[in-house]
Amino acid sequence: MDAQTEALFRVVYAHTLAKSGKRRSALAETEHARTLLTGAPGDAVPFWALAWGPPAASVYSRAAKVHETLGDHRTAAQHYALAATARPADTYARIVALDLVAGAEMHLKRGSIEQACSTWHRAMDHMDGVRSVRTRKAVSRMRSDLARFRARGLRCVAELDDRGRDFLANG
């Protein structure tokens, strides 16, 4: 088995460990998966392993889920950002957008509303022309998450909420 495919298996296993409360083992497997990504780039990756795009993007996205499960929202946001940049945006616009949405949600959980808004805007940039149930749900959830900030009069929240409303109305 090539290194990138092994990295995919290891990071999925790491997520299972995290969900089982085995923090130390989950982090070790996640790190091992990331180390495997630096393996021989010429390795042939099986077709099925490319279903969600480049293996590195899938490993980063799943590593983000590991950190999210363990409550490390800062590291999860960083991995979601890595996942988004590791996929060709023109080919995987929906998945890039959803990685960015997940990253924005991590910023919000950390209390960083401005960074969350900025990341949500980037996600919505990738949603141009994309129509899917998951993106619509993501935008609806975003608007719901922003509701508690509207009364504060934050400009970034009002602009993003308007953009989300327009997206849902025109979809």
Side-chain angles (χ1 to χ4, degrees):
M1 171 182 339
D2 67 280
Q4 292 181 52
T5 303
E6 183 180 346
L8 289 168
F9 281 115
R10 286 191 175 273
V11 78
V12 169
Y13 178 55
H15 193 202
T16 302
L17 291 168
K19 286 182 172 185
S20 301
K22 298 177 180 168
R23 180 181 188 86
R24 185 172 296 165
S25 296
L27 292 172
E29 284 295 327
T30 301
E31 187 55 35
H32 192 162
R34 290 185 58 221
T35 301
L36 286 166
L37 289 178
T38 62
D43 285 349
V45 178
F47 178 75
W48 60 264
L50 299 171
W52 295 277
S58 296
V59 169
Y60 292 137
S61 184
R62 185 61 63 159
K65 292 177 189 323
V66 169
H67 290 285
E68 181 178 356
T69 300
L70 297 174
D72 183 355
H73 300 123
R74 178 181 305 278
T75 305
Q78 291 169 346
H79 280 86
Y80 281 126
L82 286 169
T85 59
R87 296 183 211 282
D90 54 335
T91 306
Y92 297 97
R94 183 183 71 87
I95 299 173
V96 169
L98 293 172
D99 280 333
L100 290 169
V101 164
E105 291 169 351
M106 295 302 98
H107 292 308
L108 186 63
K109 285 182 179 181
R110 292 182 32 241
S112 181
I113 185 63
E114 291 84 7
Q115 197 166 9
C117 285
S118 173
T119 305
W120 268 316
H121 272 295
R122 288 187 16 241
M124 293 199 66
D125 290 344
H126 289 282
M127 289 182 198
D128 275 351
V130 173
R131 296 295 178 251
S132 77
V133 171
R134 286 191 66 199
T135 56
R136 290 186 62 76
K137 283 183 181 178
V139 172
S140 293
R141 192 174 57 245
M142 173 197 74
R143 292 195 68 225
S144 176
D145 289 343
L146 292 174
R148 66 179 188 228
F149 297 98
R150 285 187 200 114
R152 294 186 191 175
L154 294 172
R155 183 176 170 184
C156 70
V157 170
E159 290 173 353
L160 189 57
D161 189 47
D162 288 345
R163 189 172 180 190
R165 186 176 47 254
D166 291 346
F167 176 85
L168 293 172
N170 294 321

